[in-house]
Amino acid sequence: MRPTRWCTLALLLAVSRPLQAQSTAAGVTDSLATLRVTARQADDPVPGAMVRSLDAIDEAGRAIGAVTDADGRATIRLPAGARRVLVSRLGFRADTLTLTLRAAQDTSVVVHLESLAADVEAVVGSATRTERRLEDTPLRVEVVDEEEVTEKLAMRPASIQMLLAETGGLRVQTTSPSLGNANVRVQGLRGRYALLLTDGLPLAGDGAGFSLLQTPIDLGRVEVLKGATGLYTGGAGGVINLVSRRPGREREHTALLNQTSRGGSDAVGFFTGPLGERWGYTLLGGVHRQQRNDLDADGWTDMPGYERAAVRPRLFYDDGSGRTAFFTGGFTAEDRVGGTMRAGVLPGGASFAEDVRVRRGDVGVLARWAITDSTTPVGLSALRGAIVTVRGSAAEQRHGHRFGEVREQDRHRTWFGEASVAVPRGRATYVAGAAFQQDAYYNANVTGWNYTFNTPAAFAQVDVDPSAWLSVSGSARVDAHDVYGTFVNPRLSVLLRSLSEGALARWTARVSGGTGMFAPTPLIEEVEAVGLTPVVPVPGGIATFIAERARSASVDVGGPMALSWGALEVNATAVASRLTHPLQVRAADGVTATGATGATRLALAHAPAPTRTYGTELLARLVRPLGAAREGGTEAPALRVTATYVYLRSTECDPDGIAGTTCARREVPLTPRHAVTFVASVEQEGKSRVGLEVYYTGRQSLERDVNPYRRQSRPYVLVGLLGERAFETRAGVARLFVNLENLTNVRQTRFDSLVLPARGRGGRWTTDVWTELVGFTVNGGVRFGF
């Protein structure tokens, strides 16, 4: 089936009369049961929550439902049998009940809803634009929860690189070996195709030149959506959403101090709490410093030195009756230094200074409100019960680069706005909206590559639940790019649920496919390492190129298994993608770079054949209590084990093997076929944690023009240990932590030199990075809550 027909199929499923004409709940029309639901948040009732059946309709074809009263109670009558009921309210995380009702009997349940405190819909909302749990979303969204986020940030407080690198299907790739800039590859596609969001907003701008090292650490969770989705402009390879922590009912202050054996220091403060009944706040501030290191004593920087300061205030509003808002702003200043050390020289006896100065700021806002009976506009009664969402952001970052004798000053700017409305009707939820995004780049020193992209867009979506075992989500987005043209990107996702009561209860299977587009820019990975000065300009600039298009599909099966000795979750995923017109860098024969004698300049061109990727991901997660709960309600320690295996095969055109419209294919460089992760920890909630991590990375293909020392990397194993202990004090709780990272002391410069024997393509002096550059490192510190 062609991708452009997916949305049509979903719409037909949603509006077809057979769905509404079918007998109520599997043919049972005369045996009714009463369901009484009480919605609570902690000890307080939640009034105004919608209690809605997902698999039963009334005679008019509408979903059977009710709204909780002032005591948080609602009563509905449903046909007997297996039922799924959604409990949702704006500002709370929705919950789905799966239960069996008996005819002529009352069933009472209490649902505890978790406040989102004006939480952004983020990836889950962007994917489904309906309030559903991840388990009920047809499009697979992987989440790194707050517990794992806290653990990883204790290991490396100044960076989320470790957090992302240890997520299956993701690989953090260093793009500038001397300065340490990095991006993240999703399922083998190069980093520029992954869209990085913060609270559902593109606060990182277009992502070009933005290092993961500069990401704030006030994270509540990370949400990853893999593959082309067309949900946002530029998300051709996947979406990574960083969701910030939300304020609670009590004030909470956290201070973190960290020191590493490689001369890194971090001091971070996080403050959160209420500002009255309707308002709350969070405030993050941090300073970070890293000394420059030459670990193999060859005169070249292996660990760049940097000094960074960042601040980010956030403000939240919730009036308790369906109106919420979220405001954020941030500023980061960083100076980073690499290249040759003070007394270091390169082959030939010269020195090479490399550094970057970064100043970036952003603002963002999101507002949501429910249209109730009293707020329904005159003549628009069809919108009763709908949820309106408006969001927008602006981001700008300025860089001052130095590559030896070459200096470049550039500016990145992104404006974003979106408005949407979600209307639940019966078994379906309909969504429509419009968006606008502007991405602009300006380089003061290099002409011919500046651009301003304006992309208005419109989108529509429908989610439908034909039965208790089936959910379907279909969408289409139209982007009217002012440079590359108009594109329609459809998506279809299907979720199948197991209704058995045996070992496979609550298992799910998802099938998903979609398309996406990416507006090409000259700021690809190879250019980041050397700047734009060595790139040969083309007539017409960036508008000469055409849009890169992506298609992807995935199938995954898995779920929990209740065992006598613990809880086990397993999942298996198969993925495939095809990227057409990928932009590549080639050597511009016979032309030397300005100020770089003998260094070949670079040329940008589209590959004549697509990049193809396919693979599998396997995951197993075990949680096993170690003993019974202790006196006083203290939880027993628990063993947590997570194991993953990723097989990935990605091929592309070899830039040196192109002849007209054909090309010789090669493995995409720096993409390992095999990767294994094993993480185990023993934790007693609120007391202590000890963890072991083992990571295996298989061989990777390397570019011959960039790495003359070898054509394939070596496989390697990284081992880490983490220990944490909490202590009660009069002022609060102090958590001491120590992390032993890379115990096997894997370091690329132990095998080969990072420095090239002669200046290479584009004037670069280093090879690509295929493994760790830091080696064995110890860091420790204290996280103090008061």
Side-chain angles (χ1 to χ4, degrees):
M1 179 179 296
R2 293 181 178 271
T4 53
R5 299 177 184 172
W6 293 343
C7 186
T8 303
L9 174 61
L11 291 172
L12 290 174
L13 285 171
V15 301
S16 60
R17 286 300 293 180
L19 284 181
Q20 296 184 0
Q22 66 179 337
S23 60
T24 306
V28 181
T29 58
D30 54 357
S31 299
L32 298 178
T34 301
L35 176 63
R36 305 181 189 277
V37 176
T38 302
R40 307 190 68 83
Q41 179 198 18
D43 296 328
D44 299 326
V46 179
M50 171 61 73
V51 179
R52 180 166 64 102
S53 172
L54 294 177
D55 50 20
I57 56 178
D58 59 19
E59 295 179 355
R62 296 172 299 187
I64 300 174
V67 178
T68 57
D69 59 19
D71 295 323
R73 297 172 180 170
T75 300
I76 58 176
R77 289 176 60 78
L78 296 172
R83 295 288 161 257
R84 294 177 61 252
V85 176
L86 176 69
V87 183
S88 64
R89 210 209 83 173
L90 193 65
F92 291 81
R93 191 180 307 283
D95 198 2
T96 302
L97 305 177
T98 300
L99 38 80
T100 300
L101 302 180
R102 299 187 181 279
Q105 290 188 10
D106 288 5
T107 301
S108 298
V109 295
V110 178
V111 179
H112 295 276
L113 298 180
E114 177 186 352
S115 174
L116 295 179
D119 192 14
V120 179
E121 288 173 307
V123 170
V124 176
S126 301
T128 67
R129 301 189 185 272
T130 54
E131 298 198 14
R132 292 191 173 197
R133 298 187 310 170
L134 293 178
E135 293 86 344
D136 298 317
T137 304
L139 186 61
R140 179 172 171 79
V141 181
E142 298 181 34
V143 174
V144 182
D145 59 23
E146 186 171 355
E147 180 179 342
E148 189 170 352
V149 168
T150 301
E151 177 184 338
K152 295 299 184 294
L153 293 181
M155 293 182 176
R156 194 176 291 179
S159 170
I160 65 166
Q161 284 198 59
M162 177 179 292
L163 180 65
L164 296 179
E166 296 171 2
T167 302
L170 304 186
R171 176 174 173 79
V172 174
Q173 179 60 50
T174 299
T175 57
S176 176
S178 180
L179 296 178
N181 283 358
N183 60 28
V184 59
R185 297 185 174 192
V186 181
Q187 292 178 337
L189 290 179
R190 296 178 187 271
R192 65 181 181 272
Y193 303 114
L195 181 62
L196 184 66
L197 302 176
T198 303
D199 291 317
L201 300 170
L203 299 183
D206 59 6
F210 181 77
S211 172
L212 293 173
L213 293 172
Q214 299 164 0
T215 302
I217 67 167
D218 56 335
L219 294 180
R221 65 183 186 274
V222 178
E223 300 173 336
V224 180
L225 192 157
K226 301 173 184 176
T229 63
L231 299 176
Y232 282 89
T233 299
V239 179
I240 299 172
N241 188 62
L242 310 176
V243 182
S244 58
R245 293 174 59 187
R246 275 22 188 178
R249 295 188 174 186
E250 303 293 335
R251 294 186 183 275
E252 179 184 347
H253 301 158
T254 302
L256 184 148
L257 299 175
N258 177 70
Q259 181 67 40
T260 79
S261 60
R262 298 296 190 187
S265 304
D266 307 285
V268 179
F270 181 74
F271 311 92
T272 178
L275 292 172
E277 294 183 0
R278 299 185 176 185
W279 293 89
Y281 75 95
T282 66
L283 174 64
L284 170 75
V287 291
H288 310 271
R289 182 181 183 277
Q290 172 64 57
Q291 75 175 32
R292 195 155 48 136
N293 288 299
D294 175 16
L295 302 180
D296 59 349
D298 65 350
W300 184 266
T301 300
D302 298 316
M303 290 184 65
Y306 63 80
E307 293 181 349
R308 179 169 73 250
V311 61
R312 178 169 293 281
R314 291 183 171 94
L315 193 62
F316 302 84
Y317 172 81
D318 186 350
D319 69 353
S321 61
R323 296 181 178 87
T324 66
F326 163 83
F327 307 89
T328 184
F331 178 77
T332 300
E334 180 183 77
D335 295 323
R336 189 174 288 259
V337 181
T340 53
M341 303 293 287
R342 290 185 178 179
V345 294
L346 294 164
S351 61
F352 188 87
E354 192 167 351
D355 56 61
V356 62
R357 181 179 184 270
V358 181
R359 299 294 183 267
R360 65 179 311 274
D362 60 70
V363 293
V365 61
L366 182 146
R368 301 170 66 204
W369 62 92
I371 300 179
T372 61
D373 291 340
S374 61
T375 60
T376 302
V378 177
L380 295 177
S381 59
L383 293 181
R384 185 179 295 113
I387 298 175
V388 178
T389 302
V390 177
R391 70 181 90 198
S393 65
E396 179 170 313
Q397 49 186 328
R398 295 174 180 262
H399 299 132
H401 301 273
R402 179 167 60 161
F403 305 95
E405 307 87 350
V406 176
R407 292 181 181 271
E408 294 184 11
Q409 304 284 332
D410 64 34
R411 181 188 68 218
H412 306 254
R413 180 177 294 167
T414 296
W415 295 87
F416 169 78
E418 180 186 286
S420 65
V421 57
V423 183
R425 287 294 178 267
R427 300 186 182 198
T429 299
Y430 303 90
V431 181
F436 175 82
Q437 182 164 327
Q438 182 186 85
D439 294 303
Y441 173 76
Y442 173 76
N443 192 308
N445 305 97
V446 182
T447 60
W449 294 113
N450 298 336
Y451 61 83
T452 299
F453 296 154
N454 296 296
T455 312
F459 53 85
Q461 180 172 311
V462 58
D463 285 10
V464 61
D465 296 284
S467 66
W469 55 270
L470 175 65
S471 294
V472 180
S473 176
S475 68
R477 179 186 176 97
V478 180
D479 289 283
H481 200 284
D482 65 340
V483 175
Y484 298 113
T486 300
F487 302 91
V488 178
N489 291 305
R491 174 183 59 83
L492 176 66
S493 301
V494 178
L495 169 63
L496 305 173
R497 304 179 186 85
S498 170
L499 300 181
S500 68
E501 299 181 359
L504 299 183
R506 296 173 56 198
W507 272 48
T508 60
R510 288 178 171 87
V511 180
S512 184
T515 68
M517 64 83 66
F518 182 82
T521 79
L523 306 174
I524 64 179
E525 292 181 357
E526 295 85 349
V527 173
E528 270 198 61
V530 297
L532 272 173
T533 299
V535 182
V536 178
V538 296
I542 194 65
T544 305
F545 302 105
I546 59 178
E548 302 173 68
R549 300 299 306 275
R551 295 181 179 181
S552 69
S554 65
V555 178
D556 72 85
V557 179
M561 300 180 66
L563 306 175
S564 59
W565 42 271
L568 177 66
E569 177 188 356
V570 296
N571 186 267
T573 304
V575 298
S577 68
R578 185 175 186 267
L579 179 71
T580 57
H581 314 303
L583 197 62
Q584 291 184 322
V585 63
R586 306 170 187 171
D589 296 334
V591 184
T592 57
T594 302
T597 304
T600 305
R601 297 194 73 181
L602 305 177
L604 296 178
H606 288 290
T611 298
R612 299 188 181 97
T613 303
Y614 64 88
T616 61
E617 299 177 19
L618 305 177
L619 176 144
R621 182 179 291 117
L622 169 69
V623 178
R624 181 181 183 183
L626 300 178
R630 301 177 181 178
E631 295 183 4
T634 303
E635 294 186 9
L639 171 66
R640 303 175 187 272
V641 178
T642 301
T644 65
Y645 168 71
V646 177
Y647 172 83
L648 201 60
R649 182 77 187 276
S650 186
T651 62
E652 66 179 5
C653 275
D654 187 337
D656 296 328
I658 295 177
T661 58
T662 63
C663 69
R665 300 194 70 82
R666 68 173 184 181
E667 299 275 347
V668 174
L670 305 173
T671 303
R673 284 201 192 183
H674 306 277
V676 180
T677 299
F678 177 84
V679 179
S681 66
V682 176
E683 178 180 0
Q684 185 171 7
E685 185 69 27
K687 296 292 184 179
S688 62
R689 178 171 63 237
V690 177
L692 168 68
E693 300 183 335
V694 181
Y695 304 98
Y696 168 82
T697 301
R699 299 183 186 277
Q700 308 161 53
S701 173
L702 304 176
E703 290 197 67
R704 66 173 70 90
D705 290 343
V706 179
N707 194 325
Y709 303 114
R710 60 178 66 237
R711 294 299 305 276
Q712 274 194 336
S713 69
R714 296 168 59 110
Y716 59 89
V717 176
L718 302 178
V719 179
L721 286 173
L722 170 71
E724 185 177 40
R725 176 70 178 178
F727 298 92
E728 295 281 350
T729 70
R730 292 184 178 181
V733 178
R735 291 179 170 84
L736 302 180
F737 60 87
V738 60
N739 174 47
L740 307 179
E741 187 176 340
N742 194 355
L743 286 168
T744 48
N745 197 25
V746 174
R747 181 161 48 86
Q748 185 168 323
T749 51
R750 294 182 61 196
F751 308 109
D752 305 305
S753 173
L754 183 65
V755 180
L756 295 171
R759 199 165 188 181
R761 190 176 64 186
R764 65 184 298 160
W765 274 110
T766 59
T767 70
D768 279 334
V769 177
W770 52 266
T771 186
E772 296 290 308
L773 293 178
V774 179
F776 173 60
T777 306
V778 180
N779 74 280
V782 58
R783 188 169 67 251
F784 188 72
F786 55 97

